[in-house]
Amino acid sequence: MMLRLPRSSEKAQEKLVWSKKPQLAGDTPRVVVITSGKGGVGKTTTTANVGLSLARLGFSVVAIDADVGLRNLDLLLGLENRVNYTVVEVLNGDCRLDQALVRDKRWSNFELLCISKPRSKLPMGFSGKALVWLVDALKSRQEGCPDFIIIDCPAGIDAGFITAITPANEAILVTTPDITSLRDADRVTGLLECDGIRDIKMMVNRVRTDMIKGEDMMSVLDVQEMLGLALLGVIPEDSEVIRSTNRGYPLVLNKPPTLAGLAFEQAAWRLVEQDSMKAVMVEEEPKKRGFFSFFGG
């Protein structure tokens, strides 16, 4: 005979499961650069949503927008009107580091730091060493060392890219399932490894299961086999991305959550535990199963 728990006990168990927090792996701060090589694949969207997901899980996060002159992370977070100082002013002695950090009012353990103001040029003396100094300053500040420092890398593989990856010891490579993005991603992977970054995971963005089934889009398994990287997350194509961008309200804060928002939250959980997911090939869509059934757990 099977005993059934009282309804009150079941609710208590459900509450316990949802309040569970992932175990932080590795030494802090975890310095993670989010890159791709190709522009427009979703690096900044990934930075905003993964960063806020980490903050919602209870970890302290500093997100650095390293895209000089073309910064957008403040817009996606809805913090553009609160950025008064940048790293350039800190280095010039015009302000303190804590004055350049913008604390999110929704989640006080999330802070934004911009390298420079929009449409400005990078100072001649600014290099990877300056960003290393910045990371060291964040480690030793009075408020305490953050758990995660996430760097939003500019597109391309020029000086801005080299500067952004210099202080990182982990990388998230954002790509889409198309040949141009994959060729750039493969090139960037080689450059990251040459810089000594061995912990590289990929995030496959803008995935459409209907196109995969129709063989009009490469599957996530194909992408993983081509790049040979551990899979951190699979983000489905979602029209809500444009709406959330225009509102300065990241997807992970939406209620009810969207599929893309849930995928970002799952990716953040794996990032905390230095875990990955497995892509699987599904020949036929299972009945009454959702998007994530295509890609394993």
Side-chain angles (χ1 to χ4, degrees):
M1 181 177 179
M2 182 178 293
L3 295 176
R4 182 173 179 83
L5 290 172
R7 188 176 291 266
S8 59
S9 298
E10 289 179 350
K11 289 183 178 179
Q13 281 191 336
E14 289 176 3
K15 187 175 181 181
L16 183 62
V17 170
W18 284 107
S19 62
K20 181 183 176 184
K21 179 180 176 180
Q23 296 298 311
L24 180 60
D27 299 328
T28 56
R30 299 259 303 274
V31 185
V32 184
V33 63
I34 298 181
T35 184
S36 69
K38 188 176 186 296
V41 298
K43 291 185 300 296
T44 304
T45 300
T46 299
T47 303
N49 285 280
V50 169
L52 271 178
S53 294
L54 292 170
R56 295 178 71 198
L57 288 170
F59 300 102
S60 56
V61 181
V62 174
I64 301 176
D65 190 338
D67 198 343
V68 177
L70 293 172
R71 77 175 199 218
N72 288 310
L73 186 54
D74 55 331
L75 289 172
L76 268 67
L77 293 167
L79 301 175
E80 67 275 11
N81 294 326
R82 296 181 55 207
V83 179
N84 298 316
Y85 297 105
T86 66
V87 172
V88 171
E89 278 84 19
V90 175
L91 295 174
N92 290 336
D94 298 328
C95 69
R96 301 186 308 273
L97 177 59
D98 63 290
Q99 291 177 303
L101 285 161
V102 180
R103 191 178 299 275
D104 194 294
K105 293 181 179 179
R106 297 161 295 197
W107 296 92
S108 60
N109 53 339
F110 180 91
E111 294 172 291
L112 170 68
L113 183 60
C114 297
I115 293 291
S116 68
K117 294 181 178 178
R119 296 180 297 278
S120 65
K121 294 182 179 180
L122 193 67
M124 290 296 292
F126 194 89
S127 65
K129 291 182 179 179
L131 208 54
V132 170
W133 172 87
L134 181 64
V135 169
D136 289 339
L138 289 169
K139 291 179 183 178
S140 58
R141 63 179 183 160
Q142 292 182 347
E143 293 85 352
C145 173
D147 296 312
F148 286 90
I149 298 174
I150 301 180
I151 303 171
D152 184 18
C153 184
I157 53 174
D158 55 8
F161 168 81
I162 300 300
T163 297
I165 69 173
T166 300
N169 44 43
E170 300 176 48
I172 297 175
L173 186 65
V174 182
T175 186
T176 52
D178 61 82
I179 56 173
T180 57
S181 179
L182 291 175
R183 183 165 71 174
D184 289 356
D186 186 55
R187 171 66 173 148
V188 167
T189 301
L191 294 173
L192 292 170
E193 291 174 344
C194 288
D195 199 62
I197 301 175
R198 294 287 182 264
D199 188 351
I200 307 171
K201 293 183 177 67
M202 70 172 179
M203 188 95 77
V204 186
N205 195 21
R206 296 177 182 167
V207 174
R208 289 182 55 179
T209 54
D210 58 331
M211 293 187 69
I212 293 174
K213 287 190 296 179
E215 298 184 352
D216 296 316
M217 176 180 283
M218 281 184 284
S219 70
V220 177
L221 185 60
D222 292 335
V223 173
Q224 191 172 25
E225 289 178 348
M226 289 182 68
L227 295 180
L229 297 174
L231 183 61
L232 184 67
V234 177
I235 314 300
E237 182 73 63
D238 193 339
S239 60
E240 190 63 29
V241 172
I242 297 175
R243 297 189 188 96
S244 69
T245 298
N246 291 336
R247 289 185 296 145
Y249 198 80
L251 283 172
V252 293
L253 301 180
N254 278 10
K255 293 181 180 179
T258 65
L259 278 177
L262 289 172
F264 279 121
E265 289 181 338
Q266 292 174 358
W269 189 290
R270 296 186 194 100
L271 180 64
V272 171
E273 298 188 335
Q274 293 185 333
D275 196 5
S276 60
M277 65 184 291
K278 183 179 180 181
V280 295
M281 181 66 74
V282 177
E283 295 180 356
E284 185 176 346
E285 183 177 5
K287 294 181 180 180
K288 297 183 179 180
R289 294 185 68 184
F291 173 85
F292 297 108
S293 63
F294 276 80
F295 308 109

